[in-house]
Amino acid sequence: MATETLLDNTATGTTPATPSQRKQSFGAWFREKGWRHLVGVLTTAFAVFPLLYVLSAAFNSTGTMAGSNVLFSRIDFGNFQQLFSDPNRPFGKWFLNTLVIGVVTSVATVFLGALAAYAFSRMRFRGRRVSLLSLLILQMFPQLLAVVAIFLLLNFITDVVPWLGLGSQLGLIMVYLGGALGVNTYLMYGFFNTIPASLDEAARIDGASHVQVFFTIILPLVTPILAVVGLLAFIGLSSEFVIASVVLTDPDSQTLAVGLYSYVGQQRSENWGVFAAGAVLAALPVMALFLYLQKYIVNGLAAGSVKG
Amino acid sequence: MPTTELTRTPTRKQPRTLRPSDSLAGLLAKIILLGLVDAFAVYVLIVLFLQEKWAVLVLAAGVTLLINWIYLRRGGLPAKYLAPGVFFLLIFQVFVMVFSGYVAFTNYGDGHNSTKEDAIAAIQSAAQQRVPDSPAYRVTILEQDNEFHFLATDPDGGVSIGSAEEPLEEVSNAATDGTGKATGLDGYRTLQFNEVLANQADILALSVPFSDDPDDGTLKTSDGSTAYVFSPTLEYDEAADTFTDTETGTTYADSGQGTFVSEDGEELSTGWKIDVGFANFAKAFTDENIRGPLLEVTLWTFTFALVSVLSTFALGLFLANAFNLPNLRGKKIYRILMILPYAFPAFLAGLVWSGLLNPEFGYVNNTFFGGANIPWLTDPLLAKFSVLLVNLWLGFPYMFLVCTGALQSLPEDVNEAARMDGAGPWKIFTSIKLPLLLVSVAPLLIASFAFNFNNFNVIYMLTDGGPRLPDTTVNVGATDILITLVYEVAFGSGVGRDYGLASALSIVIFFIVAAISIISFRQTKALEEIH
């Protein structure tokens, strides 16, 4: 590797720094820190250049892919205007749909998960261990694999309750809620266990019902994990393509993932600028959330969650 | 059933028989919520009753009763908290899993999506041909409740009305114009000429039956004003369970495979759903046309998942090591910039990279390679490389974060001891840090493998599975992994949707992933015990 040979050359050419010299010689500095900066700059360039490219293409309304190849050669908002004015590709609606589906699903996921975690953490009942274990095992079968069966099930529901079947966002939300218990519940269960049980016992003695204990004592204490689980769920949902593409067929009801794919799925190079603008708008909120949550996510990663 | 034991001190339970804490608000909320659920359930039950779906009706009634029992009885507290989540879990995770298993053993798919009765009716209504020299009916298009109707005036002057759903029926109170053609009817709206034009496709597709028996024929129009009699060219003989072509005299008999087949082996396009046993699995492993591509796809899926995990882990670990120095300036900035790809939505990453790597207009070819025409996404081998590169871009920040965390939790004194004993940095890394690190990271690597095994977004958005494999009629590409193949078989635009085969493939995928996960988790347990 280039860095290593560079390192060797400079290392052999340097004389040991005398104690009186406060400043390190270049070789020693490079051997200790310099190469790390080199690695850092190279990796950062690799990590960031696609993002800069899409940002630059978004602000360049020449529109085609070929026209986007000199980064930031011109800056205007033409693509964004076009993005919001195409009635066949209602970007604003996609954005809103993604937001609504994401928020409703993640709030419901957190609530259902918290209910279950409370039961697992605070109550002792027959089948508790088995249920906890089966939750983990069920997670090994991702819903993605059952997409055919989900399609056929919703197809049946369409005949009975049309507004819950194929094409319905409510139907999609229900499908997503099938995964509400699982890794989420595990994360919350672990956190619930760190809240001393003596707290709720004291409240019970004072006459609080289990519902009051759950809502007024437990939930406020576990808000951090609720927020993290909810936001992670939201981030995951905003990228979900397979099930959404099968359930939502009408352009007006689609999500960003399905809609933006249709934008460039057929002819990649022509709508490029407008697509880039859409991509920037779609990615910004998710990235902002992610960076804001960074610290918690890093801790959560250690607990075994995977980006999905 | 679960027994309540809320606090672990049973003596506390006794004074609480009156339950003073069940507040009025709580009670009201409970009544309202349960009321809403029950109202919805009753509505569903009524619809199911009207549609005569008895099996589902019984099931739905059972579930409704169970929900009421859980929430109305005293005690059984855990069930009250678990029920909502478990309800969705059972339907949309467990049931669909079992249902996938069932579909895998049927021929469900395009042309086989209903019962035999439906298939017979569909064949009859599809095989309609204009009866030669049949009289012309003058028609007016009417609309009621968003449904189109024909108001037909027959050559003798009789007027009748009908739609796709309702057979023609004589009416006497129609308004007529000077020529005797009926033009309107009370309760219906007559379509204007421009409306007929606007709904051209629907109106041309409309065929109005003469009676409930499809053999009597239908009325169809080709211009919105004149209609002709069409009758089926295929006649169904109920006693013999065969179709006979009225022109050629060929008979089509039930083949036992869910289709009607003639003696020459010619199949009628509409069939029905039957159980086919292991045929889908057998097809996947024996049909020349599928076996070859399937084998290739399976190998590539393993390669893709394995190389993705190893490459992201190697780069992530290297970076974590490089930046694991307390007083390195700018460390925070590097870190934030480096994890940006992880924060970027995966489906967008695939699409953006597909633009970057576009051979003609892409940034990579034009800027880095001076306008060379490198087929990043269209050459089978380069496409595989591109997919791995993009997945490395997406995945290395995750491994970087994980490894940084793991490295920082390693005890420093082991390091010191090794250094005292004269071990160099490389030696310390390979024989002390890495084994310790692997203990905590191995489960994540397995999870990452399982995730990449089904990493739909990257493949589908970047190459859409392509470039297409030669010498097969199945729509399979060089970068297709098993899950994109399943999607293509089930919902693709290629040969026709085959839900049965797609489900069989997902069952196979499930067993592969489950087996690998179980085996490797066992291995990592062994790893833990060593240390």
PDB file of all heavy atoms in Angstrom, chain A residues 36-37 46 69 141 159 204 207 210 239 245 268 290 294 307, chain B residues 6 21 51 81 93 322 334 342 361 366 393 451 461 487:
ATOM      1  N   ARG A  36      -2.809   8.520   9.592  1.00  0.00           N
ATOM      2  CA  ARG A  36      -4.224   8.436   9.984  1.00  0.00           C
ATOM      3  C   ARG A  36      -5.020   9.550   9.301  1.00  0.00           C
ATOM      4  O   ARG A  36      -6.157   9.346   8.882  1.00  0.00           O
ATOM      5  CB  ARG A  36      -4.362   8.553  11.505  1.00  0.00           C
ATOM      6  CG  ARG A  36      -3.715   7.385  12.228  1.00  0.00           C
ATOM      7  CD  ARG A  36      -3.705   7.598  13.735  1.00  0.00           C
ATOM      8  NE  ARG A  36      -2.631   6.847  14.363  1.00  0.00           N
ATOM      9  CZ  ARG A  36      -2.793   5.649  14.933  1.00  0.00           C
ATOM     10  NH1 ARG A  36      -3.975   5.094  14.964  1.00  0.00           N
ATOM     11  NH2 ARG A  36      -1.779   5.016  15.476  1.00  0.00           N
ATOM     12  N   HIS A  37      -4.390  10.734   9.209  1.00  0.00           N
ATOM     13  CA  HIS A  37      -5.076  11.829   8.506  1.00  0.00           C
ATOM     14  C   HIS A  37      -5.246  11.494   7.036  1.00  0.00           C
ATOM     15  O   HIS A  37      -6.293  11.766   6.444  1.00  0.00           O
ATOM     16  CB  HIS A  37      -4.291  13.126   8.664  1.00  0.00           C
ATOM     17  CG  HIS A  37      -4.463  13.750  10.020  1.00  0.00           C
ATOM     18  ND1 HIS A  37      -5.646  14.285  10.447  1.00  0.00           N
ATOM     19  CD2 HIS A  37      -3.592  13.897  11.049  1.00  0.00           C
ATOM     20  CE1 HIS A  37      -5.518  14.744  11.681  1.00  0.00           C
ATOM     21  NE2 HIS A  37      -4.272  14.515  12.074  1.00  0.00           N
ATOM     22  N   PHE A  46     -14.242   9.230  -0.296  1.00  0.00           N
ATOM     23  CA  PHE A  46     -15.032   8.101  -0.795  1.00  0.00           C
ATOM     24  C   PHE A  46     -16.458   8.180  -0.246  1.00  0.00           C
ATOM     25  O   PHE A  46     -17.434   7.964  -0.973  1.00  0.00           O
ATOM     26  CB  PHE A  46     -14.354   6.795  -0.362  1.00  0.00           C
ATOM     27  CG  PHE A  46     -15.134   5.548  -0.663  1.00  0.00           C
ATOM     28  CD1 PHE A  46     -15.563   5.267  -1.953  1.00  0.00           C
ATOM     29  CD2 PHE A  46     -15.421   4.638   0.347  1.00  0.00           C
ATOM     30  CE1 PHE A  46     -16.264   4.100  -2.234  1.00  0.00           C
ATOM     31  CE2 PHE A  46     -16.116   3.474   0.079  1.00  0.00           C
ATOM     32  CZ  PHE A  46     -16.539   3.213  -1.221  1.00  0.00           C
ATOM     33  N   ASN A  69     -22.097  16.649 -14.543  1.00  0.00           N
ATOM     34  CA  ASN A  69     -20.809  16.053 -14.215  1.00  0.00           C
ATOM     35  C   ASN A  69     -19.744  17.010 -13.699  1.00  0.00           C
ATOM     36  O   ASN A  69     -18.712  16.571 -13.214  1.00  0.00           O
ATOM     37  CB  ASN A  69     -20.266  15.272 -15.404  1.00  0.00           C
ATOM     38  CG  ASN A  69     -20.917  13.903 -15.453  1.00  0.00           C
ATOM     39  OD1 ASN A  69     -21.341  13.403 -14.422  1.00  0.00           O
ATOM     40  ND2 ASN A  69     -21.023  13.331 -16.628  1.00  0.00           N
ATOM     41  N   PHE A 141     -37.581 -14.679  10.135  1.00  0.00           N
ATOM     42  CA  PHE A 141     -38.327 -14.731   8.880  1.00  0.00           C
ATOM     43  C   PHE A 141     -38.778 -13.312   8.547  1.00  0.00           C
ATOM     44  O   PHE A 141     -39.800 -12.856   9.013  1.00  0.00           O
ATOM     45  CB  PHE A 141     -39.538 -15.655   9.037  1.00  0.00           C
ATOM     46  CG  PHE A 141     -40.218 -15.979   7.740  1.00  0.00           C
ATOM     47  CD1 PHE A 141     -39.833 -17.094   7.022  1.00  0.00           C
ATOM     48  CD2 PHE A 141     -41.236 -15.194   7.248  1.00  0.00           C
ATOM     49  CE1 PHE A 141     -40.457 -17.404   5.822  1.00  0.00           C
ATOM     50  CE2 PHE A 141     -41.856 -15.500   6.047  1.00  0.00           C
ATOM     51  CZ  PHE A 141     -41.464 -16.615   5.338  1.00  0.00           C
ATOM     52  N   ASP A 159     -61.743  -7.637  -0.788  1.00  0.00           N
ATOM     53  CA  ASP A 159     -63.114  -8.058  -1.052  1.00  0.00           C
ATOM     54  C   ASP A 159     -64.028  -7.799   0.134  1.00  0.00           C
ATOM     55  O   ASP A 159     -65.218  -7.585  -0.018  1.00  0.00           O
ATOM     56  CB  ASP A 159     -63.157  -9.564  -1.371  1.00  0.00           C
ATOM     57  CG  ASP A 159     -62.490  -9.851  -2.702  1.00  0.00           C
ATOM     58  OD1 ASP A 159     -62.349  -8.895  -3.489  1.00  0.00           O
ATOM     59  OD2 ASP A 159     -62.126 -11.008  -2.931  1.00  0.00           O
ATOM     60  N   ARG A 204     -48.482   1.216  43.545  1.00  0.00           N
ATOM     61  CA  ARG A 204     -49.621   0.303  43.689  1.00  0.00           C
ATOM     62  C   ARG A 204     -50.170   0.349  45.112  1.00  0.00           C
ATOM     63  O   ARG A 204     -51.380   0.290  45.313  1.00  0.00           O
ATOM     64  CB  ARG A 204     -49.215  -1.142  43.351  1.00  0.00           C
ATOM     65  CG  ARG A 204     -48.663  -1.341  41.965  1.00  0.00           C
ATOM     66  CD  ARG A 204     -49.698  -1.468  40.890  1.00  0.00           C
ATOM     67  NE  ARG A 204     -50.880  -2.190  41.296  1.00  0.00           N
ATOM     68  CZ  ARG A 204     -51.634  -2.889  40.479  1.00  0.00           C
ATOM     69  NH1 ARG A 204     -51.275  -3.007  39.214  1.00  0.00           N
ATOM     70  NH2 ARG A 204     -52.725  -3.478  40.884  1.00  0.00           N
ATOM     71  N   GLY A 207     -52.444   2.957  45.760  1.00  0.00           N
ATOM     72  CA  GLY A 207     -53.753   2.837  45.138  1.00  0.00           C
ATOM     73  C   GLY A 207     -53.782   3.069  43.649  1.00  0.00           C
ATOM     74  O   GLY A 207     -54.855   3.186  43.064  1.00  0.00           O
ATOM     75  N   HIS A 210     -52.811  -0.626  37.500  1.00  0.00           N
ATOM     76  CA  HIS A 210     -51.680  -0.977  36.628  1.00  0.00           C
ATOM     77  C   HIS A 210     -51.596  -0.055  35.424  1.00  0.00           C
ATOM     78  O   HIS A 210     -50.523   0.276  34.958  1.00  0.00           O
ATOM     79  CB  HIS A 210     -51.778  -2.446  36.198  1.00  0.00           C
ATOM     80  CG  HIS A 210     -53.045  -2.775  35.470  1.00  0.00           C
ATOM     81  ND1 HIS A 210     -53.167  -2.610  34.123  1.00  0.00           N
ATOM     82  CD2 HIS A 210     -54.238  -3.238  35.917  1.00  0.00           C
ATOM     83  CE1 HIS A 210     -54.391  -2.971  33.754  1.00  0.00           C
ATOM     84  NE2 HIS A 210     -55.064  -3.345  34.823  1.00  0.00           N
ATOM     85  N   SER A 239     -37.226   3.692   4.092  1.00  0.00           N
ATOM     86  CA  SER A 239     -36.503   3.027   3.013  1.00  0.00           C
ATOM     87  C   SER A 239     -37.219   1.788   2.503  1.00  0.00           C
ATOM     88  O   SER A 239     -36.757   1.161   1.571  1.00  0.00           O
ATOM     89  CB  SER A 239     -35.109   2.594   3.493  1.00  0.00           C
ATOM     90  OG  SER A 239     -34.135   3.459   2.999  1.00  0.00           O
ATOM     91  N   SER A 245     -44.315  -1.244  -2.489  1.00  0.00           N
ATOM     92  CA  SER A 245     -44.511  -1.254  -3.942  1.00  0.00           C
ATOM     93  C   SER A 245     -45.611  -2.230  -4.333  1.00  0.00           C
ATOM     94  O   SER A 245     -46.280  -2.051  -5.345  1.00  0.00           O
ATOM     95  CB  SER A 245     -43.217  -1.620  -4.655  1.00  0.00           C
ATOM     96  OG  SER A 245     -42.987  -3.005  -4.575  1.00  0.00           O
ATOM     97  N   ARG A 268     -33.138   6.288 -16.845  1.00  0.00           N
ATOM     98  CA  ARG A 268     -32.376   6.853 -15.754  1.00  0.00           C
ATOM     99  C   ARG A 268     -31.808   8.230 -16.037  1.00  0.00           C
ATOM    100  O   ARG A 268     -31.750   9.077 -15.169  1.00  0.00           O
ATOM    101  CB  ARG A 268     -31.255   5.893 -15.384  1.00  0.00           C
ATOM    102  CG  ARG A 268     -31.704   5.207 -14.123  1.00  0.00           C
ATOM    103  CD  ARG A 268     -30.978   4.060 -13.701  1.00  0.00           C
ATOM    104  NE  ARG A 268     -32.036   3.140 -13.298  1.00  0.00           N
ATOM    105  CZ  ARG A 268     -31.949   2.247 -12.367  1.00  0.00           C
ATOM    106  NH1 ARG A 268     -30.847   2.080 -11.731  1.00  0.00           N
ATOM    107  NH2 ARG A 268     -32.949   1.502 -12.067  1.00  0.00           N
ATOM    108  N   PHE A 290     -30.854  10.980  11.922  1.00  0.00           N
ATOM    109  CA  PHE A 290     -29.823   9.990  12.197  1.00  0.00           C
ATOM    110  C   PHE A 290     -28.634  10.614  12.913  1.00  0.00           C
ATOM    111  O   PHE A 290     -28.152  10.095  13.920  1.00  0.00           O
ATOM    112  CB  PHE A 290     -29.372   9.389  10.875  1.00  0.00           C
ATOM    113  CG  PHE A 290     -28.600   8.133  11.048  1.00  0.00           C
ATOM    114  CD1 PHE A 290     -29.241   6.912  11.000  1.00  0.00           C
ATOM    115  CD2 PHE A 290     -27.238   8.152  11.268  1.00  0.00           C
ATOM    116  CE1 PHE A 290     -28.541   5.747  11.171  1.00  0.00           C
ATOM    117  CE2 PHE A 290     -26.532   6.995  11.438  1.00  0.00           C
ATOM    118  CZ  PHE A 290     -27.181   5.788  11.388  1.00  0.00           C
ATOM    119  N   GLN A 294     -27.218   9.932  16.637  1.00  0.00           N
ATOM    120  CA  GLN A 294     -25.986   9.162  16.487  1.00  0.00           C
ATOM    121  C   GLN A 294     -25.543   8.419  17.732  1.00  0.00           C
ATOM    122  O   GLN A 294     -25.305   7.214  17.716  1.00  0.00           O
ATOM    123  CB  GLN A 294     -24.918  10.150  16.062  1.00  0.00           C
ATOM    124  CG  GLN A 294     -23.867   9.594  15.192  1.00  0.00           C
ATOM    125  CD  GLN A 294     -22.596  10.348  15.451  1.00  0.00           C
ATOM    126  OE1 GLN A 294     -21.683   9.789  15.996  1.00  0.00           O
ATOM    127  NE2 GLN A 294     -22.550  11.622  15.098  1.00  0.00           N
ATOM    128  N   LYS A 307     -29.234  -2.125  10.459  1.00  0.00           N
ATOM    129  CA  LYS A 307     -29.960  -1.194   9.605  1.00  0.00           C
ATOM    130  C   LYS A 307     -30.880  -1.970   8.677  1.00  0.00           C
ATOM    131  O   LYS A 307     -30.467  -2.914   8.034  1.00  0.00           O
ATOM    132  CB  LYS A 307     -28.967  -0.395   8.771  1.00  0.00           C
ATOM    133  CG  LYS A 307     -29.634   0.714   7.983  1.00  0.00           C
ATOM    134  CD  LYS A 307     -28.615   1.470   7.170  1.00  0.00           C
ATOM    135  CE  LYS A 307     -29.259   2.663   6.497  1.00  0.00           C
ATOM    136  NZ  LYS A 307     -28.326   3.383   5.656  1.00  0.00           N
TER     137      LYS A 307
ATOM    138  N   LEU B   6     -48.652  -9.693  39.856  1.00  0.00           N
ATOM    139  CA  LEU B   6     -48.052  -8.414  39.521  1.00  0.00           C
ATOM    140  C   LEU B   6     -46.880  -8.082  40.424  1.00  0.00           C
ATOM    141  O   LEU B   6     -45.774  -7.827  39.965  1.00  0.00           O
ATOM    142  CB  LEU B   6     -49.112  -7.319  39.609  1.00  0.00           C
ATOM    143  CG  LEU B   6     -48.665  -6.028  38.962  1.00  0.00           C
ATOM    144  CD1 LEU B   6     -48.415  -6.246  37.491  1.00  0.00           C
ATOM    145  CD2 LEU B   6     -49.695  -4.969  39.191  1.00  0.00           C
ATOM    146  N   SER B  21     -59.029   2.118  42.316  1.00  0.00           N
ATOM    147  CA  SER B  21     -58.227   2.897  41.375  1.00  0.00           C
ATOM    148  C   SER B  21     -58.747   2.809  39.945  1.00  0.00           C
ATOM    149  O   SER B  21     -58.272   3.508  39.083  1.00  0.00           O
ATOM    150  CB  SER B  21     -56.787   2.414  41.415  1.00  0.00           C
ATOM    151  OG  SER B  21     -56.777   1.027  41.223  1.00  0.00           O
ATOM    152  N   GLN B  51     -71.120 -12.431   1.878  1.00  0.00           N
ATOM    153  CA  GLN B  51     -70.299 -13.027   0.816  1.00  0.00           C
ATOM    154  C   GLN B  51     -70.165 -14.531   0.993  1.00  0.00           C
ATOM    155  O   GLN B  51     -69.440 -15.183   0.228  1.00  0.00           O
ATOM    156  CB  GLN B  51     -68.918 -12.375   0.802  1.00  0.00           C
ATOM    157  CG  GLN B  51     -68.986 -10.897   0.478  1.00  0.00           C
ATOM    158  CD  GLN B  51     -67.615 -10.265   0.379  1.00  0.00           C
ATOM    159  OE1 GLN B  51     -66.613 -10.879   0.715  1.00  0.00           O
ATOM    160  NE2 GLN B  51     -67.574  -9.023  -0.069  1.00  0.00           N
ATOM    161  N   TYR B  81     -52.082  -6.772  28.054  1.00  0.00           N
ATOM    162  CA  TYR B  81     -50.995  -5.941  27.526  1.00  0.00           C
ATOM    163  C   TYR B  81     -50.390  -6.520  26.256  1.00  0.00           C
ATOM    164  O   TYR B  81     -49.886  -5.805  25.407  1.00  0.00           O
ATOM    165  CB  TYR B  81     -49.907  -5.764  28.599  1.00  0.00           C
ATOM    166  CG  TYR B  81     -50.256  -4.692  29.590  1.00  0.00           C
ATOM    167  CD1 TYR B  81     -50.989  -4.980  30.727  1.00  0.00           C
ATOM    168  CD2 TYR B  81     -49.886  -3.370  29.365  1.00  0.00           C
ATOM    169  CE1 TYR B  81     -51.340  -3.989  31.618  1.00  0.00           C
ATOM    170  CE2 TYR B  81     -50.223  -2.378  30.246  1.00  0.00           C
ATOM    171  CZ  TYR B  81     -50.957  -2.685  31.381  1.00  0.00           C
ATOM    172  OH  TYR B  81     -51.299  -1.703  32.248  1.00  0.00           O
ATOM    173  N   GLN B  93     -47.415 -11.742  10.495  1.00  0.00           N
ATOM    174  CA  GLN B  93     -46.096 -12.354  10.525  1.00  0.00           C
ATOM    175  C   GLN B  93     -46.222 -13.879  10.537  1.00  0.00           C
ATOM    176  O   GLN B  93     -45.682 -14.553   9.684  1.00  0.00           O
ATOM    177  CB  GLN B  93     -45.322 -11.870  11.756  1.00  0.00           C
ATOM    178  CG  GLN B  93     -43.869 -12.268  11.766  1.00  0.00           C
ATOM    179  CD  GLN B  93     -42.957 -11.130  11.382  1.00  0.00           C
ATOM    180  OE1 GLN B  93     -43.133  -9.993  11.803  1.00  0.00           O
ATOM    181  NE2 GLN B  93     -41.971 -11.411  10.565  1.00  0.00           N
ATOM    182  N   ALA B 322      -7.400   2.940  13.070  1.00  0.00           N
ATOM    183  CA  ALA B 322      -6.677   4.146  12.698  1.00  0.00           C
ATOM    184  C   ALA B 322      -7.117   5.337  13.542  1.00  0.00           C
ATOM    185  O   ALA B 322      -6.308   6.195  13.874  1.00  0.00           O
ATOM    186  CB  ALA B 322      -6.886   4.440  11.216  1.00  0.00           C
ATOM    187  N   TYR B 334     -13.951  13.776  10.935  1.00  0.00           N
ATOM    188  CA  TYR B 334     -13.817  12.573  10.112  1.00  0.00           C
ATOM    189  C   TYR B 334     -14.969  11.632  10.381  1.00  0.00           C
ATOM    190  O   TYR B 334     -15.587  11.076   9.487  1.00  0.00           O
ATOM    191  CB  TYR B 334     -12.513  11.823  10.435  1.00  0.00           C
ATOM    192  CG  TYR B 334     -11.262  12.477   9.918  1.00  0.00           C
ATOM    193  CD1 TYR B 334     -10.128  12.568  10.707  1.00  0.00           C
ATOM    194  CD2 TYR B 334     -11.192  12.966   8.617  1.00  0.00           C
ATOM    195  CE1 TYR B 334      -8.963  13.139  10.241  1.00  0.00           C
ATOM    196  CE2 TYR B 334     -10.032  13.550   8.143  1.00  0.00           C
ATOM    197  CZ  TYR B 334      -8.908  13.632   8.963  1.00  0.00           C
ATOM    198  OH  TYR B 334      -7.771  14.200   8.492  1.00  0.00           O
ATOM    199  N   TYR B 342     -24.107   5.829   5.930  1.00  0.00           N
ATOM    200  CA  TYR B 342     -24.976   4.974   6.719  1.00  0.00           C
ATOM    201  C   TYR B 342     -26.316   5.663   6.967  1.00  0.00           C
ATOM    202  O   TYR B 342     -27.355   5.026   7.053  1.00  0.00           O
ATOM    203  CB  TYR B 342     -24.293   4.639   8.043  1.00  0.00           C
ATOM    204  CG  TYR B 342     -25.035   3.671   8.922  1.00  0.00           C
ATOM    205  CD1 TYR B 342     -25.683   2.561   8.389  1.00  0.00           C
ATOM    206  CD2 TYR B 342     -25.093   3.862  10.295  1.00  0.00           C
ATOM    207  CE1 TYR B 342     -26.351   1.672   9.188  1.00  0.00           C
ATOM    208  CE2 TYR B 342     -25.763   2.971  11.107  1.00  0.00           C
ATOM    209  CZ  TYR B 342     -26.404   1.882  10.555  1.00  0.00           C
ATOM    210  OH  TYR B 342     -27.075   1.010  11.359  1.00  0.00           O
ATOM    211  N   PHE B 361     -23.014   8.626 -19.402  1.00  0.00           N
ATOM    212  CA  PHE B 361     -23.104   9.980 -18.845  1.00  0.00           C
ATOM    213  C   PHE B 361     -22.613  10.051 -17.409  1.00  0.00           C
ATOM    214  O   PHE B 361     -22.627  11.104 -16.814  1.00  0.00           O
ATOM    215  CB  PHE B 361     -24.555  10.475 -18.880  1.00  0.00           C
ATOM    216  CG  PHE B 361     -25.291  10.155 -20.125  1.00  0.00           C
ATOM    217  CD1 PHE B 361     -26.290   9.194 -20.151  1.00  0.00           C
ATOM    218  CD2 PHE B 361     -24.973  10.820 -21.304  1.00  0.00           C
ATOM    219  CE1 PHE B 361     -26.965   8.906 -21.323  1.00  0.00           C
ATOM    220  CE2 PHE B 361     -25.650  10.534 -22.475  1.00  0.00           C
ATOM    221  CZ  PHE B 361     -26.643   9.572 -22.489  1.00  0.00           C
ATOM    222  N   ASN B 366     -16.806   9.776 -16.676  1.00  0.00           N
ATOM    223  CA  ASN B 366     -16.481  11.055 -17.300  1.00  0.00           C
ATOM    224  C   ASN B 366     -15.396  11.814 -16.563  1.00  0.00           C
ATOM    225  O   ASN B 366     -14.577  12.482 -17.174  1.00  0.00           O
ATOM    226  CB  ASN B 366     -17.734  11.925 -17.398  1.00  0.00           C
ATOM    227  CG  ASN B 366     -18.559  11.545 -18.602  1.00  0.00           C
ATOM    228  OD1 ASN B 366     -18.041  11.007 -19.564  1.00  0.00           O
ATOM    229  ND2 ASN B 366     -19.853  11.783 -18.522  1.00  0.00           N
ATOM    230  N   TRP B 393     -19.725   0.908   0.337  1.00  0.00           N
ATOM    231  CA  TRP B 393     -19.948   2.328   0.646  1.00  0.00           C
ATOM    232  C   TRP B 393     -21.057   2.466   1.693  1.00  0.00           C
ATOM    233  O   TRP B 393     -20.935   3.225   2.644  1.00  0.00           O
ATOM    234  CB  TRP B 393     -20.334   3.068  -0.642  1.00  0.00           C
ATOM    235  CG  TRP B 393     -20.526   4.543  -0.476  1.00  0.00           C
ATOM    236  CD1 TRP B 393     -19.545   5.476  -0.436  1.00  0.00           C
ATOM    237  CD2 TRP B 393     -21.771   5.232  -0.326  1.00  0.00           C
ATOM    238  NE1 TRP B 393     -20.107   6.714  -0.274  1.00  0.00           N
ATOM    239  CE2 TRP B 393     -21.462   6.605  -0.196  1.00  0.00           C
ATOM    240  CE3 TRP B 393     -23.103   4.844  -0.287  1.00  0.00           C
ATOM    241  CZ2 TRP B 393     -22.433   7.584  -0.039  1.00  0.00           C
ATOM    242  CZ3 TRP B 393     -24.074   5.811  -0.125  1.00  0.00           C
ATOM    243  CH2 TRP B 393     -23.739   7.163  -0.002  1.00  0.00           C
ATOM    244  N   PHE B 451     -28.790 -10.183   6.961  1.00  0.00           N
ATOM    245  CA  PHE B 451     -29.395  -8.991   6.374  1.00  0.00           C
ATOM    246  C   PHE B 451     -28.993  -8.857   4.905  1.00  0.00           C
ATOM    247  O   PHE B 451     -29.822  -8.620   4.035  1.00  0.00           O
ATOM    248  CB  PHE B 451     -28.965  -7.755   7.163  1.00  0.00           C
ATOM    249  CG  PHE B 451     -29.341  -6.460   6.510  1.00  0.00           C
ATOM    250  CD1 PHE B 451     -30.646  -6.019   6.547  1.00  0.00           C
ATOM    251  CD2 PHE B 451     -28.400  -5.699   5.857  1.00  0.00           C
ATOM    252  CE1 PHE B 451     -31.011  -4.834   5.935  1.00  0.00           C
ATOM    253  CE2 PHE B 451     -28.746  -4.521   5.238  1.00  0.00           C
ATOM    254  CZ  PHE B 451     -30.051  -4.090   5.280  1.00  0.00           C
ATOM    255  N   MET B 461     -32.204  -1.450  -6.864  1.00  0.00           N
ATOM    256  CA  MET B 461     -32.099  -0.048  -7.257  1.00  0.00           C
ATOM    257  C   MET B 461     -30.879   0.204  -8.132  1.00  0.00           C
ATOM    258  O   MET B 461     -30.898   1.088  -8.973  1.00  0.00           O
ATOM    259  CB  MET B 461     -32.001   0.847  -6.019  1.00  0.00           C
ATOM    260  CG  MET B 461     -33.150   0.717  -5.073  1.00  0.00           C
ATOM    261  SD  MET B 461     -34.666   1.282  -5.829  1.00  0.00           S
ATOM    262  CE  MET B 461     -35.864   0.646  -4.704  1.00  0.00           C
ATOM    263  N   TYR B 487     -39.040 -11.719  -6.053  1.00  0.00           N
ATOM    264  CA  TYR B 487     -39.861 -10.555  -6.406  1.00  0.00           C
ATOM    265  C   TYR B 487     -40.161 -10.571  -7.900  1.00  0.00           C
ATOM    266  O   TYR B 487     -41.286 -10.319  -8.322  1.00  0.00           O
ATOM    267  CB  TYR B 487     -39.107  -9.284  -6.015  1.00  0.00           C
ATOM    268  CG  TYR B 487     -39.901  -8.009  -6.138  1.00  0.00           C
ATOM    269  CD1 TYR B 487     -40.816  -7.648  -5.161  1.00  0.00           C
ATOM    270  CD2 TYR B 487     -39.707  -7.155  -7.217  1.00  0.00           C
ATOM    271  CE1 TYR B 487     -41.533  -6.470  -5.259  1.00  0.00           C
ATOM    272  CE2 TYR B 487     -40.416  -5.979  -7.318  1.00  0.00           C
ATOM    273  CZ  TYR B 487     -41.327  -5.638  -6.333  1.00  0.00           C
ATOM    274  OH  TYR B 487     -42.026  -4.466  -6.444  1.00  0.00           O
TER     275      TYR B 487
END
